[in-house]
Amino acid sequence: MKDEVQIKKYLPSLIFSIILPVVAYLLLKTWGSTDTLALGIATAFPVIHMVWSLIVRKEVNPVSLVAIIGFLISLLTVYLTHGNNLAFKLWHPILTAAIGTIFLLSLVFNRPLLEFANEGQSHKKMMILTLFMGLVFVCHGLSVILLAFWVKTTAFVLISKIIDFSAVAILLLGLGFLRKKLI
């Protein structure tokens, strides 16, 4: 029963973050849209989901707010560069790499970010979990950034979603494993 609740909780995010962007991009490209238009519409789906969640829950999530601002900046950048779609490719992995870097920097100051969310947990455990999360976020961000420069847009859309899904799986499995080992 608990697993069903978890799946129902995260299913909309999965649909809006991975499935709809890929389907929308491929359909728009099939119908003759430019890479920039198709990618812009595809990258809007996760942002639309975040905005909807903010409206429905009436809570401001800092990560969602930063992501929405990042998307708006990418729209402006595409406009100012006369349709260069690189901004659509890069806003999300830059955000992910920045968050990972912040996690890692918190370790330098011996104040792991996860310690703020998990009061009462051991400092060492929070250091290890923060290190793991920071590394996954940075590796994800850097790999998608490199991908944006190496492959054409259609391949980027498909491969980046595989990288996204893989990073989430590594994060969830790794955190589950580490939590059990660090008890």
Side-chain angles (χ1 to χ4, degrees), residues 45 56 103 112 119 131 145 166 176:
F45 280 104
V56 169
F103 270 74
E119 293 178 19
L131 173 65
I145 289 168
S166 299

Side-chain angles (χ1 to χ4, degrees), residues 112 114-115 118 121-130:
L114 292 182
E115 207 164 54
N118 293 299
Q121 298 289 329
S122 85
H123 181 72
K124 180 182 176 183
K125 180 178 180 179
M126 292 300 104
M127 291 284 284
I128 293 169
L129 292 174
T130 300

Side-chain angles (χ1 to χ4, degrees), residues 4 7 17 43 49 75 79 110 127 130 134 147 156 167 175:
E4 285 181 31
I7 291 170
S17 297
T43 58
H49 182 253
L75 281 175
Y79 174 75
N110 202 27
M127 291 284 284
T130 300
L147 184 69
F156 172 82
L175 287 174

Side-chain angles (χ1 to χ4, degrees), residues 63-167:
V63 174
S64 293
L65 193 58
V66 169
I68 291 165
I69 292 168
F71 177 73
L72 294 174
I73 290 170
S74 73
L75 281 175
L76 179 63
T77 305
V78 169
Y79 174 75
L80 293 175
T81 60
H82 306 287
N84 183 341
N85 66 22
L86 197 56
F88 285 137
K89 292 178 182 178
L90 295 178
W91 77 269
H92 184 255
I94 288 173
L95 175 64
T96 304
I99 290 169
T101 302
I102 292 168
F103 270 74
L104 295 176
L105 285 174
S106 75
L107 298 174
V108 172
F109 296 105
N110 202 27
R111 301 290 298 168
L113 282 180
L114 292 182
E115 207 164 54
F116 296 106
N118 293 299
E119 293 178 19
Q121 298 289 329
S122 85
H123 181 72
K124 180 182 176 183
K125 180 178 180 179
M126 292 300 104
M127 291 284 284
I128 293 169
L129 292 174
T130 300
L131 173 65
F132 175 71
M133 286 185 69
L135 289 173
V136 171
F137 277 73
V138 167
C139 289
H140 169 270
L142 292 177
S143 62
V144 176
I145 289 168
L146 292 173
L147 184 69
F149 290 102
W150 286 344
V151 299
K152 294 186 184 231
T153 303
T154 302
F156 172 82
V157 169
L158 297 172
I159 297 169
S160 69
K161 293 305 171 193
I162 293 169
I163 293 171
D164 292 349
F165 193 71
S166 299

